[in-house]
Amino acid sequence: VLGGNNVFYLLGIPGREDLHMWISIPFLLSYVFALLGNGLLLVFVIITERSLHEPRYLFLCMLAVADLILSTTTVPKALAIFWFQAGEISLDGCLTQIFFIHATFIAESGILLAMAFDRYVAICDPLRYTAVLSYAVILRVGLAVVLRSFSVILPDVFLVKRLPFCHSNVLPHTYCEHMAVAKFACADIRVNVWYGLSVLLSTVVLDALLILVSYTLILNAVFHLPSRGARQKALSTCGSHLGVISMFYLPGIFTIITQRFGHHVPLHTHILLANICMLAPPMLNPIIYGVKTKQIRERVVSTFHSGTMLSLCD
């Protein structure tokens, strides 16, 4: 049995090692887009523009921070594997990845639920919007999202930490994932399996159901509005949020279906799909909101225009 200082080796995309340099290009581009889009376009613009200090934009800012953490936890290590074959990672490093990947994923799910509630109040009870979603409430929601994600994932880390590893220490992946690591243990991992499933059902699945209920109520309220213009305006405010929800849930659902029923799908395809779940939302969320949200679009244009004018003057 290996000791507490286990070292694992991440293979990257197994069976496609000869293509790692080419595969690294979309990884690098998505990471750059995620950093620029979430860091500059969303976080910087929302913080510096007072007119964007509204609940839905503050929740969007939280989502952008979560996207930055998720990208930075996974992509740099994947690029190191692709470029330098630097797949070695300690057990503690693996546990750190597991914690931040899963905690951030659950936090994003919670933020999307908060954004759905924001749209529900804005459309179904607009007169009480500012009272219900005050700055104090937004702060408490943000803290609750973080505390929930940390508290349910910390046991995950200790459940992996306690395992003795005596099988292969080669992980056919670009990052450490709870069950992928646990499968290499020479011990009973049923507790890990059942705890992981209970966390998924009580957080991400429950959030998805509550989001579905919220939008059912929202659509019911929208279609009872008297004028067509009012209906279109109400639906347009939900469009970008629905796009982000789709980017969060659909790749994950597709990956789960492929893993469950795609027994003849090559391993490298499973790994690539899992990476798309990590890469797509952080890259596309700023694009979806930047295109769909007039206030953000105008602020970005004015920021770049001011920067261009200053550089010309210099």
Side-chain angles (χ1 to χ4, degrees):
V1 177
L2 297 173
N5 295 319
N6 292 331
V7 174
F8 293 98
Y9 295 92
L10 295 164
L11 289 182
I13 311 297
R16 291 292 181 268
E17 287 83 359
D18 57 323
L19 299 175
H20 272 180
M21 194 59 69
W22 291 106
I23 294 171
S24 71
I25 295 172
F27 273 72
L28 177 62
L29 291 175
S30 69
Y31 188 49
V32 170
F33 276 122
L35 290 179
L36 293 175
N38 291 289
L40 294 177
L41 192 152
L42 294 185
V43 176
F44 175 76
V45 167
I46 291 171
I47 288 174
T48 56
E49 181 57 49
R50 289 192 60 84
S51 66
L52 296 177
H53 291 183
E54 298 176 14
R56 65 170 172 158
Y57 299 122
L58 294 176
F59 287 133
L60 177 58
C61 188
M62 294 180 198
L63 187 68
V65 171
D67 280 339
L68 286 171
I69 294 171
L70 188 63
S71 297
T72 303
T73 303
T74 55
V75 180
K77 183 61 181 177
L79 291 175
I81 297 167
F82 296 149
W83 292 342
F84 312 113
Q85 293 78 51
E88 184 176 306
I89 186 169
S90 67
L91 176 59
D92 288 339
C94 222
L95 293 174
T96 302
Q97 267 202 332
I98 289 171
F99 175 78
F100 279 105
I101 288 169
H102 291 282
T104 307
F105 193 76
I106 289 171
E108 289 204 6
S109 178
I111 294 166
L112 289 173
L113 175 59
M115 294 170 81
F117 178 70
D118 165 77
R119 291 299 84 204
Y120 166 76
V121 177
I123 292 170
C124 299
D125 197 4
L127 296 178
R128 297 184 61 235
Y129 181 70
T130 53
V132 172
L133 286 166
S134 63
Y135 287 135
V137 169
I138 294 167
L139 179 61
R140 285 198 289 268
V141 169
L143 288 173
V145 164
V146 172
L147 288 173
R148 182 187 74 157
S149 60
F150 276 35
S151 63
V152 298
I153 294 303
L154 270 177
D156 245 1
V157 173
F158 290 112
L159 284 172
V160 176
K161 181 79 171 175
R162 72 181 175 88
L163 293 172
F165 295 96
C166 56
H167 299 310
S168 171
N169 62 345
V170 177
L171 296 174
H173 218 308
T174 57
Y175 58 85
C176 292
E177 192 272 326
H178 176 203
M179 289 313 302
V181 175
K183 285 176 183 176
F184 288 105
C186 48
D188 190 349
I189 62 168
R190 280 181 292 182
V191 174
N192 297 66
V193 173
W194 286 108
Y195 184 76
L197 182 61
S198 66
V199 167
L200 184 67
L201 291 173
S202 63
T203 55
V204 178
V205 174
L206 179 61
D207 291 347
L209 290 174
L210 292 173
I211 289 170
L212 182 63
V213 170
S214 296
Y215 269 95
T216 302
L217 296 171
I218 288 169
L219 290 174
N220 182 59
V222 167
F223 290 121
H224 281 87
L225 291 173
S227 68
R228 183 181 176 184
R231 288 195 294 270
Q232 287 180 335
K233 184 178 179 181
L235 288 172
S236 68
T237 64
C238 301
S240 50
H241 184 228
L242 286 171
V244 169
I245 290 171
S246 300
M247 284 309 310
F248 181 80
Y249 285 105
L250 291 181
I253 292 169
F254 186 66
T255 301
I256 291 168
I257 291 171
T258 306
Q259 289 175 343
R260 178 67 182 84
F261 301 106
H263 301 298
H264 302 295
V265 176
L267 177 60
H268 67 264
T269 304
H270 287 295
I271 304 304
L272 284 170
L273 284 172
N275 277 283
I276 288 171
C277 289
M278 296 291 171
L279 296 171
M283 178 181 68
L284 296 177
N285 286 351
I287 297 172
I288 293 169
Y289 268 96
V291 170
K292 291 287 291 181
T293 309
K294 182 182 176 183
Q295 294 93 320
I296 292 177
R297 193 168 62 245
E298 289 177 348
R299 176 59 179 165
V300 170
V301 170
S302 67
T303 300
F304 277 106
H305 180 70
S306 300
T308 304
M309 291 301 293
L310 284 171
S311 64
L312 288 173
C313 290
D314 291 341

